[in-house]
Amino acid sequence: MAESSPISLKRRERRWSINSPPFMSSSCGPLTEELQCSICLDVFTDPVSTPCGHNFCKTCLNKCWDNSQTCNCPYCKETFNQRPDLKINTTLREIVDHYKNKSTEKKTEVLCDFCEERKLQALKSCLVCQSSYCETHLQPHLRVAGLKKHKLMEPVSNLEDYICQKHERPLELFCRDDQTCVCLSCTEGDHKNHNTVPLEETELMIQDVQMMIQDRVKKIQDIKHSAEIRKRNTEEEKAARVELFTDLIRSIERCQTEVLEMMEEQQKAAEKQEQELIKDLEQEITELKMRNTELKMRNTELEQLSHTEDHLHLLQIYSSLRIPTNTRNWSEIRVNTRESLETLRRALTQLQDTLHEKFTQTELKWMQQYAVDVTLDPDTAHPNLMLSDDGKQVRYGDTEQKLADKPKRFNRCPAVLGKEGFSSGKFYFEVQVKGKSNWDVGVATEYIKRKGAITLGPSNGYWAVWLRNRNEYKAHSAPPVSLSLRVKPQRVGVFVDYEEGRVSFYDVESSSHIYSFTGQSFTGKLYAYLNPSQNRGGYNSVPLIITPFNFNI
């Protein structure tokens, strides 16, 4: 058999790729429906894929959407909020182009190699004989035992493309490792131990590839959709933050105005005090000058009377000299600069506290927009814990219930987890702790230890704060941190930012910050974690309550 030219070999290599194996010339028929646009009912032209994974001609789909007020898939009717940006599916287009080329080849009339006078159209081609046969000359291949084993296929004119040029045997297999067609002899040489399948199975491979293409196109659309949602959420969050911080700025401006007004009032009060003191001093100076003049005159009179010894008049003069002047002890009088400053400092401290409280209120209000509806999971609850029917309350019962010891149930620690798990984003919930002397509140990862003794802490998958003995508050960090709280929390807010690695706790009623775990690295889902602790002789019998929240704030 003559050697094929290099160009023929390159052409054959292209035909033997996964997108266009030789067998497709005999398999175009079954793929027609797979490669057909459901709008024009013809083979795809510039195929595009919708986010739901269905394929259409680009022109057909655009016309369909141009004539409709909504953009939905003509096949499954899924509606898209925004008109998708259609990109041509290049891989599918290559398959379609190859299909069209093979369909053209199939339509080319192949004649019987054994008809002598008027050659009839071939019915089959034999890869072993490398010949094509009409219905009459094909009969031996249908009757003779040896010929029955030959590989027959739809008639083609280029049979050499279906023969291994190295071994001169039919290309019956497809090598998945090298993505090429091979014969049985190839599997004993260059393709030994390679992953090969019959060519007939590669039709299924093409279908798998098409599914993979659709899956990846849909994945791209999902990513774009997620990006759009993230962008929209970011814009909404930015707007919310702008509103909250605008309110905070107004509060700062009000505080600034109050401080300046107070400083102005302090200044005016100090100036008024100074003016009054100066006025009193000037008046006393005038009175003292008059007194001094009077004393000089009396002194002259005394000198004269001493010679005349008018004792009666002398006694009168001494009596007038003994009358004390109406003056103040100015050594004890100070301008209250220090007192004014202290008053101002106290006012500033009070305003600073008010501003800090306002900032915390603003931050807490922002966090509350991520409130989620948490329900407790009875399958995780310790046997002594009693849950309400709505799954919102949990208290410790003195009698242990007979419950199945499921893998996710706590068996020593009197704790329970929420049903809802969160593996991304932000979430917030509130727990009423009013009337309790002992409790634990926080979040836990799905991978925590639940059997036997448990040590709380981030390294063990727990982020929680607790109360012991009515007034001993701690955060379960490493090591535990004692918390000094101004007021006893009645309701605790828990906020989690998964990506930022933050878990924060707040006293909701006083709008004060309790504690924050920051710089954490979460894996898996996070669940609400509640531990009402034992009853302590009735002192701690009230339940922990997941409080309802207004989700329309």
Side-chain angles (χ1 to χ4, degrees), residues 483-499:
L483 305 175
S484 178
L485 306 183
R486 292 184 303 172
V487 295
K488 187 180 179 70
Q490 305 298 306
R491 190 170 55 190
V492 176
V494 183
F495 173 77
V496 176
D497 187 329
Y498 197 98
E499 282 73 25

Side-chain angles (χ1 to χ4, degrees), residues 241-288:
R241 281 182 177 270
V242 167
E243 181 182 353
L244 292 171
F245 280 109
T246 300
D247 184 45
L248 182 60
I249 290 171
R250 292 195 189 101
S251 299
I252 294 173
E253 290 173 346
R254 284 196 298 269
C255 289
Q256 176 181 314
T257 301
E258 291 177 10
V259 169
L260 294 177
E261 288 177 351
M262 183 175 294
M263 293 177 69
E264 185 69 23
E265 290 175 0
Q266 291 284 349
Q267 177 67 18
K268 289 181 179 179
E271 289 177 354
K272 182 179 179 180
Q273 181 189 22
E274 292 164 357
Q275 290 172 358
E276 290 177 351
L277 290 175
I278 290 172
K279 181 179 179 181
D280 291 345
L281 282 168
E282 289 175 343
Q283 183 176 350
E284 287 197 11
I285 289 171
T286 301
E287 291 177 355
L288 287 171

Side-chain angles (χ1 to χ4, degrees), residues 252-408:
I252 294 173
E253 290 173 346
R254 284 196 298 269
C255 289
Q256 176 181 314
T257 301
E258 291 177 10
V259 169
L260 294 177
E261 288 177 351
M262 183 175 294
M263 293 177 69
E264 185 69 23
E265 290 175 0
Q266 291 284 349
Q267 177 67 18
K268 289 181 179 179
E271 289 177 354
K272 182 179 179 180
Q273 181 189 22
E274 292 164 357
Q275 290 172 358
E276 290 177 351
L277 290 175
I278 290 172
K279 181 179 179 181
D280 291 345
L281 282 168
E282 289 175 343
Q283 183 176 350
E284 287 197 11
I285 289 171
T286 301
E287 291 177 355
L288 287 171
K289 285 181 177 180
M290 294 174 61
R291 185 67 171 167
N292 186 50
T293 301
E294 183 181 353
L295 288 173
K296 286 182 178 180
M297 294 174 60
R298 296 297 176 90
N299 187 52
T300 302
E301 292 180 8
L302 285 173
E303 290 178 353
Q304 294 175 353
L305 289 174
S306 63
H307 299 292
T308 59
E309 296 182 354
D310 187 347
H311 296 289
L312 179 60
H313 190 56
L314 185 63
L315 289 173
Q316 290 175 348
I317 292 174
Y318 274 119
S319 297
S320 65
L321 290 176
R322 286 197 297 271
I323 298 174
T325 58
N326 186 22
T327 59
R328 298 166 66 179
N329 184 3
W330 290 98
S331 62
E332 298 178 356
I333 296 176
R334 298 285 186 273
V335 178
N336 295 327
T337 304
R338 183 185 300 275
E339 182 179 347
S340 299
L341 289 175
E342 288 299 326
T343 302
L344 183 59
R345 287 194 187 99
R346 286 195 298 270
L348 287 173
T349 301
Q350 183 177 358
L351 286 173
Q352 186 177 6
D353 292 341
T354 302
L355 189 59
H356 182 267
E357 181 179 343
K358 183 64 178 177
F359 179 82
T360 307
Q361 288 176 350
T362 301
E363 186 178 33
L364 185 58
K365 184 179 179 181
W366 171 76
M367 292 176 180
Q368 287 173 338
Q369 69 177 315
Y370 297 101
V372 293
D373 187 16
V374 173
T375 305
L376 299 176
D377 185 358
D379 290 338
T380 66
H382 182 278
N384 277 88
L385 295 186
M386 310 295 292
L387 272 60
S388 60
D389 292 339
D390 61 0
K392 300 295 184 181
Q393 302 185 25
V394 56
R395 64 180 179 84
Y396 189 89
D398 292 326
T399 303
E400 181 174 326
Q401 304 172 87
K402 294 182 180 180
L403 301 174
D405 188 17
K406 298 183 177 181
K408 61 181 183 178

